Amino acid sequence: MTKPIVILGIFVADTAYRAERQPKMGETILGNSFVLGPGGKGSNQSVAAAMASAGNGGKVHFITRLGRDAFADIARATWARAGVVPEVTEDGESYTGAAYIFIEAATGNNAIIVAPGAAGRVSVEDVEAKRALIESASVFVTQLEQPIPAARRALEIARAAGVVTILNPAPAAPLDDAMLALCDFVTPNESEAEALTGLPVTNVAEAEAAADALLAKGVGAVVVTLGGNGALYRDRSRSVHVPVISAGPVVETTGAGDAFNGGFAVALSEGRDVVDAVRFGCATAGISVTRPGTAPAMPARAEIEALLARS
């Protein structure tokens, strides 16, 4: 049996508002549209990975907490459609998380506020309860939306078992070198790389400098996602800039990083060369940004392979 991909993170219900601009404090403006849908970095990455997996179904497990409410029903329906196996602790003392997403109508750029709810209570004990699952994985992925002690413990368990570890350090938070050293791959975007290193990241050369600073902290390798400039892969022996792989006009950038991480994890789990895995992640993201939403925008395996074949 193929080893699974295991992801720790949060689900939130995305409440997405599209308008010409954000309101000022104390101001009310009319928006152009509203969409309620599934979100949360860990959940989005799980959906992206399940959709991108060959054969689909049963390969991607997602560890999280949910409340007992209508938003939890959205989560379970989303995972069922994509083929994600839920590893859920139900928390009747809290609520399923939610996110406010503002989308600028002219550009598709976004600003987000996350209230994690039950998933903000993911604990070390929750992780320990899934120890055997984490140890059985081919790739383990986490982010920083759930409490950091839980992410750290899961990375420790995965590393001790020889599982490939990916940390998507989002949202940006201070991390000590010991935690970074547990990571085979760290996948920040420009602002997260800057927050982790204190170095500006506005181009490929600056991304290389930030990646070097992370390597010096003990990270195995770094992938800096650069939006419209693609991604930079850097380890101690090579540095490769992978240009963006475009699938058409950009509609919305929300979830692009999650699409990348899900696709990247799948390609690594299949034993692809790491630069090929970065290209696979870029293609996954390249398709996702041509569609509105986060989890609903994640492409199927056949779409990714078709884009790579013509790129």
Side-chain angles (χ1 to χ4, degrees), residues 224-235:
V224 183
T225 55
L226 299 167
N229 287 325
L232 171 77
Y233 172 76
R234 192 165 178 89
D235 61 22

Side-chain angles (χ1 to χ4, degrees), residues 7-8 14 28 91 115 141 164 169 197 228 262 301:
I7 299 177
L8 170 70
D14 282 345
T28 299
D91 189 340
V141 185
V164 173
T197 65
R301 173 69 171 231

Side-chain angles (χ1 to χ4, degrees), residues 2-293:
T2 304
K3 290 185 174 183
I5 295 168
V6 177
I7 299 177
L8 170 70
I10 79 168
F11 169 89
V12 295
D14 282 345
T15 63
Y17 304 79
R18 187 178 293 267
E20 298 305 317
R21 60 177 178 83
Q22 289 201 75
K24 301 172 185 176
M25 291 301 295
E27 180 187 25
T28 299
I29 65 173
L30 291 176
N32 299 344
S33 66
F34 169 80
V35 177
L36 172 65
K41 292 183 183 299
S43 179
N44 291 342
Q45 290 170 17
S46 297
V47 169
M51 294 287 290
S53 295
N56 226 348
K59 183 176 180 179
V60 179
H61 295 247
F62 180 47
I63 302 170
T64 194
R65 275 186 178 241
L66 296 175
R68 296 174 183 153
D69 49 37
F71 284 174
D73 296 339
I74 294 173
R76 293 184 184 278
T78 298
W79 302 331
R81 283 192 296 271
V84 176
V85 180
E87 304 286 347
V88 172
T89 300
E90 285 195 353
D91 189 340
E93 297 180 359
S94 188
Y95 58 90
T96 302
Y100 155 82
I101 302 173
F102 163 74
I103 302 162
E104 189 174 56
T107 66
N109 291 332
N110 63 80
I112 302 173
I113 300 171
V114 177
R121 290 152 57 100
V122 172
S123 66
V124 170
E125 289 73 24
D126 292 339
V127 169
E128 290 287 357
K130 301 296 182 181
R131 172 191 282 269
L133 175 64
I134 295 169
E135 291 174 338
S136 75
S138 57
V139 177
F140 172 76
V141 185
T142 192
Q143 325 75 31
L144 301 177
E145 287 185 323
Q146 76 290 314
I148 289 176
R152 181 191 297 270
R153 184 66 191 126
L155 287 166
E156 289 172 346
I157 291 169
R159 170 53 64 88
V163 176
V164 173
T165 54
I166 301 174
L167 173 64
N168 177 221
L175 299 174
D176 58 47
D177 292 2
M179 183 167 175
L180 290 169
L182 296 169
C183 306
D184 291 309
F185 300 94
V186 173
T187 60
N189 63 18
E190 300 106 308
S191 63
E192 292 151 5
E194 182 171 341
L196 285 171
T197 65
L199 300 173
V201 180
T202 60
N203 55 46
V204 174
E206 290 178 347
E208 288 183 330
D212 284 344
L214 289 169
L215 293 173
K217 293 175 178 290
V219 171
V222 181
V223 183
V224 183
T225 55
L226 299 167
N229 287 325
L232 171 77
Y233 172 76
R234 192 165 178 89
D235 61 22
R236 288 167 180 78
S237 62
R238 60 177 168 166
S239 183
V240 181
H241 175 227
V242 177
V244 71
I245 300 177
S246 175
V250 173
V251 172
E252 184 180 326
T253 59
T254 316
D258 298 331
F260 174 87
N261 278 279
F264 181 59
V266 167
L268 289 177
S269 76
E270 295 174 353
R272 299 185 186 221
D273 173 78
V274 66
V275 174
D276 288 339
V278 173
R279 290 192 77 248
F280 192 93
C282 285
T284 308
I287 297 168
S288 76
V289 299
T290 65
R291 303 166 177 170

